[in-house]
Amino acid sequence: MEKYTRSIIPVIEYNYENLTTMEKTIADFFIKNKKRVDFSAKAVAERLFVSEASLSRFAKKCGYRGYREFIYQYEETFQDGRKKPVQGSTARVLDCYQEVLNKTYNLADEAKLRRISRMMRKAERIFVCGVGSSGIVARETELRFMRIGMNINSLIERDMIRMRAVFQDERSMVIGLSMKGETKEVRYILRKAHERKAKCVLVTARNNPEFREFCDEIILVPGLDNLDNGDLISPQFPMLAMMDILYACYLDQDQSMTKAFLQDTAEALRESVQEV
């Protein structure tokens, strides 16, 4: 991606709850507006039936020294073809994220993800396992699916992964996470679980035909040079993005039930905070 659009809309949205009712009216105008008009203080004040002083206070609450500085930044949104490119480290990081998202879009196979979702719904217990940065994804996956009533556990310790391998059967499902597909413990539990008739899925950036020997499905995620070292972006990001798509596919199967679970778990968490 060569250029990024500079927008102060996120800044307005971030400060929205701190605004007065009148200031929210001003905020709504700038958030919803999609075309260039006369943005002078006088013109906007007349348009919104507010005072110019209100515009100034609004701008200051958004972190600007005044309305003039605010509107200067806002008008950059309409500088089509003349935006100043993001450069340096910011551009490199954003380029990496954009590349991962573009590749994720092209690799996401919704038909396959729906099949895996059905496997998950039929399984009595699910284990998602990974080591290192993949372990972070495993833990996050457990927390997300647990909130919608799934019997799921994350395995992130090498010895625990190996020990759990011998307890799998046809009622189980194992999801292994390994960018290169080389993590010994992940391969071990998938092989043992497959031998015991459990459903097995591998999430990886390598399309190795060997994986078909012990996996029912392979979810491919994008990889970047040196991604596993975390040089620019978090190495778990490609897996997290794909697991979010899988989560969305799972939710689509029975929205009424999953919505009820989400409401119940949210209420339980609110009660926990209130007790503290």
Side-chain angles (χ1 to χ4, degrees), residues 125-143 151-168 172-178 183-190 192-193 198-199 201 239:
R125 55 182 180 271
I126 300 173
F127 297 91
V128 54
C129 52
V131 177
S133 61
S134 296
I136 297 174
V137 181
R139 180 60 175 159
E140 174 65 16
T141 301
E142 175 194 10
L143 292 174
N151 182 9
I152 184 170
N153 291 279
S154 59
L155 303 175
I156 61 177
E157 297 178 0
R158 296 180 186 273
D159 289 345
M160 186 62 69
I161 293 174
R162 286 184 171 271
M163 285 191 290
R164 282 288 187 176
V166 301
F167 296 109
Q168 307 306 315
S172 308
M173 181 173 179
V174 176
I175 301 175
L177 307 171
S178 177
T183 307
K184 293 181 180 179
E185 289 73 19
V186 171
R187 291 168 66 99
Y188 180 83
I189 191 173
L190 287 171
K192 293 299 181 182
K199 294 295 184 182
V201 176
M239 284 187 175

Side-chain angles (χ1 to χ4, degrees), residues 172-238:
S172 308
M173 181 173 179
V174 176
I175 301 175
L177 307 171
S178 177
M179 284 298 291
K180 293 182 178 180
E182 298 175 354
T183 307
K184 293 181 180 179
E185 289 73 19
V186 171
R187 291 168 66 99
Y188 180 83
I189 191 173
L190 287 171
R191 284 190 178 277
K192 293 299 181 182
H194 181 73
E195 291 173 3
R196 291 166 169 77
K197 309 301 181 183
K199 294 295 184 182
C200 297
V201 176
L202 176 63
V203 183
T204 182
R206 299 285 177 84
N207 192 14
N208 189 336
E210 179 193 357
F211 299 153
R212 303 290 176 182
E213 298 175 6
F214 52 88
C215 292
D216 296 280
E217 296 283 0
I218 309 295
I219 299 178
L220 291 176
V221 298
L224 295 175
D225 292 338
N226 300 318
L227 183 62
D228 53 339
N229 297 325
D231 288 353
L232 284 177
I233 66 174
S234 300
Q236 63 267 25
F237 177 72

Side-chain angles (χ1 to χ4, degrees), residues 1 97-107 222:
M1 178 175 287
Y97 276 115
Q98 188 62 57
E99 184 177 349
V100 168
L101 290 174
N102 288 341
K103 289 182 177 180
T104 299
Y105 172 76
N106 287 284
L107 289 173

Side-chain angles (χ1 to χ4, degrees), residues 106-124:
N106 287 284
L107 289 173
D109 184 339
E110 289 200 14
K112 177 189 293 186
L113 294 175
R114 284 194 294 270
R115 289 198 302 270
I116 295 172
S117 296
R118 289 193 290 271
M119 288 182 193
M120 297 174 75
R121 192 169 292 279
K122 292 178 180 179
E124 292 186 14

Side-chain angles (χ1 to χ4, degrees), residues 7 11 16 28 37 63 111 120 132 155 164 172 225 256:
S7 173
V11 176
Y16 193 84
D28 290 338
V37 296
M120 297 174 75
L155 303 175
R164 282 288 187 176
S172 308
D225 292 338
S256 59

